[in-house]
Amino acid sequence: MIVKSAEFITSAPDLKRCPPAQWPEVAFAGRSNVGKSSLINCLLNRKGLVRTSSTPGRTQLLNFFAINELFYFVDLPGYGFANAPKSVRKSWQPMIHGYLSGRKPLHAVVWLLDVRRDPTAEDLLFLDWLEEFGLATIPVVTKIDKVSRNELGKRLAIIAAKTGLDPEHFSTFSTLKGIGREDVWERIEDVLSESSVEGLPASD
Ligand code: GTP
Ligand code: MG
C-alpha cells in the first residue's frame, strides 16, 4: 500500500459521535499497551501520527484516521488497564460493544496480542464479540523482537491453543524492527478489496 495521505479526523466518545459513514473502516484492538498505536504508525510510516505511550490506557476514545481519502483506520481504546480510573473502565465496554455491533462501515478488526502474554479472559471476551458480530478478524502477535525465534514458535502455539485459532492465522509483528508490515497490509487490502473499495492503489 502506498500511503499518500494519513490524517487524524476526530476522536469519538461513542457510536453516535463517529464521523459520517462515508468510507470502509478497519479498527485496531487489543489489551492496553499491546502496541496498537505503534502498529498503526508503523503501517502508515508516520512516527508521531498516533500517540503512543508507556502508560497503559492512554487511548480512551475511538480515534479516526483517514487513509488516502479512501478508508478509515480506527484506533480503539485498549482493555485490561488495571490502573485506569474506574469511570474509564466502566465506559469501555458499552463504547466498544456499541461500536463493534452498530458501526456499519466496519469491515475488519486487527486484533493484537502480546507475544509474551497468555491471552486473558478479556482477550477471549473480545474475540467472542468479534465472532458474535461476524467481523473479519486479522489476529496479530506483536512485540516479537522481545523473544527468540525458538521461543516465538512456542508462544504462538500457546496463544493459538488458548484462543482456539489456527497458529497459521496469526501475523507476527515488530514495530521496532518493521517485521510484519507488508503481511498485515496485504491482509487489510484483501478485506478492503472484498468490500469493493474502488481505486485501491497497488501494493508497494
Ligand atoms: P493504549 O493506547 O494504552 O491502549 O496502548 P497501545 O496498545 O496503543 O500501545 P502503544 O502503541 O502506545 O505501545 C505501548 C508500548 O509498547 C510503547 O512503549 C511502545 O514503544 C511499545 N511497543 C509497541 N510495539 C512494540 C514492538 O513491536 N516491540 C517493542 N519492543 N515495543 C513495542
Ligand atoms: Mg494507543
Side-chain angles (χ1 to χ4, degrees):
M1 172 68 66
I2 298 165
V3 181
K4 291 188 204 142
S5 64
E7 192 190 345
F8 171 72
I9 300 297
T10 192
S11 292
D14 54 33
L15 180 63
K16 280 200 301 245
R17 279 168 280 185
C18 287
Q22 56 176 340
W23 294 322
E25 284 167 30
V26 176
F28 295 77
R31 248 183 103 82
S32 186
N33 212 41
V34 72
K36 297 174 292 298
S37 303
S38 305
L39 185 139
I40 296 174
N41 282 332
C42 180
L43 289 176
L44 300 176
N45 272 333
R46 306 282 200 281
K47 264 206 168 121
L49 182 69
V50 190
R51 274 178 79 186
T52 62
S53 165
S54 52
T55 316
R58 194 69 199 232
T59 312
Q60 294 173 358
L61 297 162
L62 309 163
N63 292 315
F64 285 78
F65 299 87
I67 316 301
N68 292 352
E69 297 183 14
L70 274 179
F71 52 93
Y72 282 124
F73 273 2
V74 187
D75 189 15
L76 300 181
Y79 45 82
F81 39 89
N83 298 325
K86 223 181 183 167
S87 58
V88 170
R89 275 184 284 159
K90 249 180 110 178
S91 63
W92 184 87
Q93 182 150 342
M95 175 203 265
I96 298 297
H97 198 271
Y99 172 77
L100 293 177
S101 62
R103 184 70 176 165
K104 291 218 172 66
L106 179 60
H107 278 72
V109 177
V110 179
W111 183 49
L112 282 71
L113 293 165
D114 187 321
V115 70
R116 299 162 301 171
R117 288 172 179 269
D118 287 356
T120 61
E122 279 160 315
D123 284 315
L124 299 179
L125 173 69
F126 190 83
L127 181 60
D128 276 351
W129 289 354
L130 296 177
E131 286 169 357
E132 183 186 337
F133 305 135
L135 289 162
T137 304
I138 302 174
V140 177
V141 167
T142 64
K143 306 194 186 183
I144 63 160
D145 54 275
K146 297 270 193 186
V147 296
S148 68
R149 199 170 248 278
N150 184 30
E151 183 92 359
L152 176 60
K154 288 186 199 154
R155 293 298 311 154
L156 270 175
I158 292 168
I159 291 169
K162 298 228 176 202
T163 54
L165 299 176
D166 187 333
E168 304 271 298
H169 198 44
F170 289 89
S171 293
T172 50
F173 212 97
S174 165
T175 57
L176 214 65
K177 299 196 170 171
I179 298 169
R181 190 178 172 272
E182 296 306 318
D183 178 35
V184 171
W185 258 130
E186 221 168 86
R187 297 180 76 178
I188 291 172
E189 285 177 80
D190 279 352
V191 173
L192 291 174
S193 64
E194 276 163 27
S195 72
S196 72
V197 177
E198 304 275 324
L200 265 184
S203 296
D204 62 0

